[in-house]
Amino acid sequence: WNFPLAIFTGQIAAALAMGNAVLAKPAEATSMIAVHAVALMHQAGVPKPCLQLVPGEGAVLGPVLCSAPNISGVCFTGSTATAQSINRVMAENLPPHAPLIAETGGLNAMIVDSTALLEQAVQDVIVSAFQSAGQRCSALRMLYVQSDIANEFQRMLFGAMQALVVGPPEAADCDVGPVIDAATKDRILTHISRHTLLFQTSAPSEGHFVAPTVLSLRGIGDLREEVFGPVLHLARFGAEDLDQVIDDINACGYCLTFGFHSR
């Protein structure tokens, strides 16, 4: 749902290009965009028997689609838990050679060492952590900053965050829009309340808005799941601990993207 046109049409186009017919099941929250996208593809010449839209609730449709005997493969973008559920259903019902291509979430990390150009690092952190209100599987979740520069880096980061405008996406000055629904907002706010707050901007009280937030953690091991919103977790490290930090990131088993700022 967070890239309701790009990911949806991209997976369809890839499957069609390889000669497959496609049953396209969009996220419930963005079904109308999918209806319009499929209509455009049909209008552009994709034969209707080769592309059928199947909107509905994932919990209801998923097990049916992923266990149908004439399904030869599944492409999925979403949560890790749902991907694992799909994998189990396919293993029980489909031939072993039926592929599951799943892009799921990540506890994505960045390391900023003492030689980094701080202005550049701050800019990249702002873009990666808070663009799309943090609702990207590739968004930065865990930031490690070397202790030598941490105070100066935080001062610059918090100053840059204060310039972010949180509001409706149709506003020309909007930098950070809403999260997808009320339940997600409540889940994110609960997570924030359970950790040490370093900095938070402001957000409109009406609507599903969450203010960009920085929380303090000891390290990525304190995170058990992806927080899909404008929340950044920050930890300090000493130069002698760099190898351990990298080992901790690799050990979490839940990574998708990674960044390293250094000169």
Side-chain angles (χ1 to χ4, degrees), residues 71-160:
I71 293 293
S72 57
V74 175
C75 295
F76 169 77
T77 299
S79 72
T80 301
T82 302
Q84 291 169 340
S85 176
I86 291 172
N87 194 28
R88 288 191 293 269
V89 171
M90 291 177 64
E92 293 171 2
N93 296 279
L94 298 185
H97 61 267
L100 168 60
I101 302 170
E103 186 198 353
T104 58
L107 296 181
N108 309 302
M110 179 188 289
I111 295 173
V112 179
D113 78 6
S114 60
T115 71
L117 184 62
L118 297 191
E119 293 88 345
Q120 190 177 52
V122 165
Q123 181 181 9
D124 283 356
V125 168
I126 291 287
V127 168
S128 187
F130 304 124
Q131 208 168 61
S132 303
Q135 297 173 121
R136 296 182 175 189
C137 53
S138 56
L140 174 61
R141 309 294 179 197
M142 185 70 231
L143 175 65
Y144 286 92
V145 181
Q146 193 167 328
S147 300
D148 310 52
I149 57 160
N151 289 340
E152 177 67 7
F153 181 88
Q154 284 188 194
R155 185 185 67 80
M156 294 177 64
L157 175 64
F158 299 163

Side-chain angles (χ1 to χ4, degrees), residues 8-24:
F8 183 72
T9 55
Q11 289 186 335
I12 290 171
L16 290 174
M18 292 296 100
N20 299 284
V22 179
L23 297 177

Side-chain angles (χ1 to χ4, degrees), residues 27-63:
E28 297 97 296
T30 51
S31 293
M32 290 304 295
I33 295 176
V35 168
H36 189 57
V38 169
L40 288 174
M41 283 186 267
H42 287 157
Q43 182 181 330
V46 176
K48 289 186 177 180
C50 294
L51 173 58
Q52 293 291 310
L53 182 68
V54 189
E57 294 185 27
V60 176
L61 283 179

Side-chain angles (χ1 to χ4, degrees), residues 16 49 55 100 187 220 223:
L16 290 174
L100 168 60
R187 193 159 53 245
I220 201 167
L223 284 175

